[in-house]
Amino acid sequence: MRVLRRLLRDRNGWLGLAGVGLVVLMALSAGWVFPGDPLAITGPAQLPPFQDPAHWLGTDRLGRDVLAQLFHGARVSLSVGAAAAAMAIGIGTLVGTVAGFLGGWADEALMRLTEAFQTVPSFVLALALILVLGPSLASVVVAIGVGAWPGPARVVRAEIMALSRRDYVDAYRCMGMGWGEIAFAKLLPNALAPVLVLATVTAAAAILIESALAFLGLSDPNRVSWGSMIADGRAVLRTAWTLSAIPGLAIAVAVLSISLLGEALTVALDPRRGRR
């Protein structure tokens, strides 16, 4: 509760919460507000926004409702962002905890593996994996998660290395605890604060990468995505620019809100790092 109060006192915090809450509300209510297929043709093609009460944001070049696609696209973006962030944080936490606590050859081997993944740009690695695994939401999540885990691994490793030098760790060893129990049950909970902040950054990056992959036609072709909406609208950019601008604005709001929330969360978890 104390962290939440600090978060709400921060302007970035409540702005981020409001933006994220709006996107989450869109995703959760998509099936209720627009129960049909968002890719179904429901009206005349390229209907401008605010011209027809049945299509508040107009229709695309095939006659599909833009607002319905926007709501259902929020589902895809949030699910991919959350799942990819969870995967990256899970792998990174495991690798960083083992490397930071054991040290020695285990640390060297795991950090060299981490550096090997960091040498490849995340989007290039995701692109290569999608070409191998095939275009689907599961493939997109795996591709983004595999490329994003080195950051959390390094953060967790640094935190665990600092905590493992405390005197109470020797007391745990004297009590007969194994290294796994000490590292994961005793030290890791105290190292999760910076990881929680990093999860917001990872989720925002995952939304951007998924949108870019969908724009290139490498996401699930049967699911509407904000990136695919932009790709569909580029063919009529001069005559119906709103078809690309509306989903582009949605991506900007989602990513900016998550970034603001992450920044405010950093200050809320550690007030000493507040803005000067």
Side-chain angles (χ1 to χ4, degrees):
M1 292 300 296
R2 184 178 302 174
V3 172
L4 181 59
R5 285 197 297 269
R6 291 173 183 165
L7 194 65
L8 293 177
R9 283 199 298 265
D10 192 321
R11 181 182 63 181
N12 289 342
W14 59 261
L15 282 175
L17 282 174
V20 172
L22 175 62
V23 178
V24 170
L25 181 62
M26 290 172 60
L28 294 178
S29 63
W32 176 68
V33 179
F34 300 100
D37 183 3
L39 296 177
I41 297 175
T42 58
Q46 292 184 220
L47 185 67
F50 311 117
Q51 298 293 320
D52 186 348
H55 306 285
W56 287 357
L57 294 183
T59 58
D60 64 8
R61 59 195 183 96
L62 297 179
R64 300 173 298 190
D65 189 85
V66 173
L67 188 59
Q69 294 182 71
L70 199 67
F71 269 63
H72 283 267
R75 279 186 171 183
V76 173
S77 294
L78 281 184
S79 60
V80 169
M87 180 179 178
I89 295 299
I91 298 174
T93 298
L94 176 62
V95 172
T97 302
V98 174
F101 190 84
L102 293 182
W105 66 267
D107 183 32
E108 287 292 327
L110 291 174
M111 286 302 99
R112 297 298 80 76
L113 178 64
T114 302
E115 291 171 358
F117 274 87
Q118 284 186 310
T119 58
V120 183
S122 299
F123 181 73
V124 174
L125 180 59
L127 193 63
L129 289 175
I130 288 297
L131 293 176
V132 173
L133 300 175
S136 68
L137 287 186
S139 300
V140 170
V141 170
V142 171
I144 297 174
V146 167
W149 68 265
R154 286 190 171 276
V155 172
V156 173
R157 171 181 176 268
E159 293 290 327
I160 294 296
M161 287 182 69
L163 292 172
S164 63
R165 298 189 179 98
R166 303 291 177 87
D167 293 337
Y168 58 77
V169 175
D170 293 329
Y172 289 140
R173 289 194 178 100
C174 293
M175 293 169 60
M177 291 186 182
W179 73 267
E181 184 179 1
I182 297 174
F184 289 97
K186 302 299 181 181
L187 300 186
L188 183 58
N190 297 318
L192 289 181
V195 178
L196 183 60
V197 175
L198 192 58
T200 61
V201 178
T202 305
I207 291 175
L208 286 175
I209 294 176
E210 188 279 330
S211 298
L213 292 172
F215 180 82
L216 296 174
L218 296 176
S219 187
D220 191 339
N222 299 316
R223 301 287 295 274
V224 61
S225 169
W226 289 341
S228 63
M229 291 176 67
I230 296 176
D232 289 338
R234 64 180 172 177
V236 290
L237 195 58
R238 292 186 177 181
T239 57
W241 59 272
T242 56
L243 295 181
S244 293
I246 290 173
L249 180 62
I251 294 173
V253 168
V255 172
L256 181 60
S257 298
I258 295 174
S259 299
L260 289 175
L261 184 59
E263 182 181 340
L265 195 58
T266 303
V267 178
L269 291 172
D270 186 2
R272 293 172 298 179
R273 298 183 62 182
R275 290 188 295 274
R276 297 175 182 177

